[in-house]
Amino acid sequence: MVTALGYGATGSCAAIRAGLSRPQALDGLVVEDGEGGSQPVTGFPVSGYAEGFFLVGAWLRLAAGSLDDLRHGMEWPSPSDVSFWGRTGLLALTPFIDEARFGWSLGQRPHALVEDFVQPLLTLQHLPVSIERSRPLALGHCGLVAALQQARHLLEERRLERVIIVAADSYADVPSLEWIDGQGRLKQPRMPVGLMPGQAGACLLIEGEGAARARGAPLGICVQGASFAAGPGERRMPHVLGRELAASILLVLRDARVPLPYQGCLVLDLNGEEWKSAAWAHAQLHLTEHVDFENCRVRVPAESLGETGASSAVVGAGVAISELRSSHDESAIVCSLSDHGDSGVILLQRTLER
């Protein structure tokens, strides 16, 4: 069993559960207001924290903030504790490195994410995790599913005892705003259906049950299943994505032997874009007999944080963990759909020890 022991973020899960939303005007991009004038784009920046930083600089700030939050919420051993840190790895989740957005590709700079993001993050946070046990995953919205599958493999092979998964992304900096606007995806007065840009850093500490028990760590939430379906590299029709998402949800429920129809928490990465809403609508049609939607608790983090890209699934997992700790739900499903046609589903469950 793989246990989720800790969660950190630059945003508040409590605010998401309460449905709080604090949109603000963003600097750097002005759009038409529909009445002959103009106005700034509205979004969800992490105020007082990431202003003035963009692209990898913003990711570093956001990721560092989430790790600080995780450190404060847990009692991490000192850097000299070789038995702990010597068996700890790190997976850093980033957006797809799209040349249209970033002006370069991993084919041109294959080690860029290690040199510009992972190594500086370890140094900035004074994390005694070896660079050899750290790696980036540039998979966008569905990166957490792939990270959990890799972490489970590393733990089961006993190469590591725990893995820190950290994600960061920002749609609120100027280059990203211009990229989104150029794609016609930005919510604005002349286009009411679209995404509102946000930014977030979020992280999870994943540990094998045996290692957690050996050091007396409290258990409570386990990663019971994860399903990742790679897409063709471009967005697919909503009915295809919806059917695939429904199949993944049903797969993890059946593998975990969860009683059907499912009743629990559903965390969705709906962000205001029509294609995601249509995909979820198609998924619901395929799940009518297997999920009791009327008795499910639905959470949509983007309503409070905006579109947070590669961070969205880790934020969603944090919301799910918070729900499981504060409600009577026994399980939670986190769903992700990426711009590149990928779909991902994670099933979290409460254990007997809380």
Side-chain angles (χ1 to χ4, degrees):
M1 182 183 294
V2 178
T3 303
L5 289 176
Y7 171 74
T10 49
S12 171
C13 290
I16 295 172
R17 291 205 320 273
L20 300 180
S21 176
R22 299 186 180 90
Q24 303 176 36
L26 301 176
D27 294 330
L29 184 65
V30 174
V31 295
E32 296 177 7
D33 63 6
E35 299 180 356
S38 60
Q39 66 180 44
V41 172
T42 300
F44 297 83
V46 181
S47 300
Y49 198 83
E51 286 93 344
F53 295 87
F54 62 93
L55 301 182
V56 179
W59 305 350
L60 282 169
R61 287 285 293 168
L62 295 164
S66 73
L67 287 168
D68 284 338
D69 189 40
L70 178 61
R71 180 183 287 112
H72 293 154
M74 300 178 59
E75 291 187 6
W76 279 11
S78 70
S80 62
D81 189 339
V82 177
S83 64
F84 181 91
W85 294 109
R87 303 284 289 169
T88 301
L90 181 138
L91 296 174
L93 311 186
T94 76
F96 286 102
I97 303 303
D98 188 327
E99 193 165 354
R101 178 180 177 184
F102 300 109
W104 58 279
S105 69
L106 288 176
Q108 298 166 336
R109 299 182 58 207
H111 305 296
L113 291 177
V114 173
E115 296 170 353
D116 298 343
F117 182 49
V118 177
Q119 183 64 74
L121 182 62
L122 294 175
T123 302
L124 179 66
Q125 287 294 293
H126 305 289
L127 274 179
V129 178
S130 166
I131 191 65
E132 289 76 21
R133 296 191 302 275
S134 306
R135 69 183 68 163
L137 294 176
L139 296 175
H141 291 73
C142 296
L144 178 59
V145 182
L148 287 172
Q149 291 176 336
Q150 288 195 25
R152 181 185 291 272
H153 182 67
L154 291 168
L155 298 180
E156 288 178 347
E157 288 195 340
R158 300 187 182 279
R159 285 192 273 170
L160 295 173
E161 290 184 344
R162 66 198 59 82
V163 177
I164 299 170
I165 300 174
V166 59
D169 200 354
S170 174
Y171 278 29
D173 55 51
V174 175
S176 298
L177 286 172
E178 292 175 345
W179 171 68
I180 299 165
D181 189 43
Q183 293 185 319
R185 301 172 58 192
L186 196 61
K187 183 175 181 178
Q188 49 188 296
R190 57 188 175 85
M191 185 180 159
V193 177
L195 66 83
M196 295 182 72
Q199 54 184 190
C203 60
L204 291 169
L205 175 63
I206 305 297
E207 189 163 22
E209 182 181 9
R213 288 186 184 278
R215 65 186 189 88
L219 305 180
I221 309 296
C222 69
V223 181
Q224 197 64 42
S227 175
F228 173 71
E234 60 184 10
R235 191 185 307 162
R236 289 178 285 175
M237 295 297 291
H239 71 277
V240 176
L241 275 173
R243 183 175 65 245
E244 191 171 79
L245 182 63
S248 293
I249 291 173
L250 195 54
L251 175 66
V252 297
L253 288 175
R254 284 177 170 166
D255 283 352
R257 299 182 180 179
V258 175
L260 299 178
Y262 172 77
Q263 294 181 355
C265 180
L266 290 170
V267 183
L268 310 176
D269 71 342
L270 300 178
N271 65 352
E273 291 189 274
E274 189 173 7
W275 69 272
K276 279 200 174 184
S277 297
W280 175 242
H282 283 285
Q284 286 180 285
L285 290 176
H286 290 285
L287 292 169
T288 302
E289 298 179 3
H290 310 292
V291 177
D292 182 0
F293 290 104
E294 289 188 2
N295 289 298
C296 284
R297 192 188 310 270
V298 178
R299 293 289 180 253
V300 182
E303 292 178 347
S304 296
L305 302 181
E307 171 59 83
T308 56
S311 301
S312 59
V314 188
V315 169
V319 172
I321 290 170
S322 180
E323 288 286 346
L324 292 176
R325 288 175 173 169
S326 62
S327 72
H328 296 294
D329 291 334
E330 296 295 328
S331 58
I333 293 173
V334 182
C335 301
S336 301
L337 294 170
S338 84
D339 303 337
H340 290 70
D342 303 333
S343 63
V345 174
I346 298 161
L347 175 65
L348 300 174
Q349 287 188 312
R350 279 196 293 151
T351 60
L352 294 178
E353 296 183 59
R354 302 188 65 182

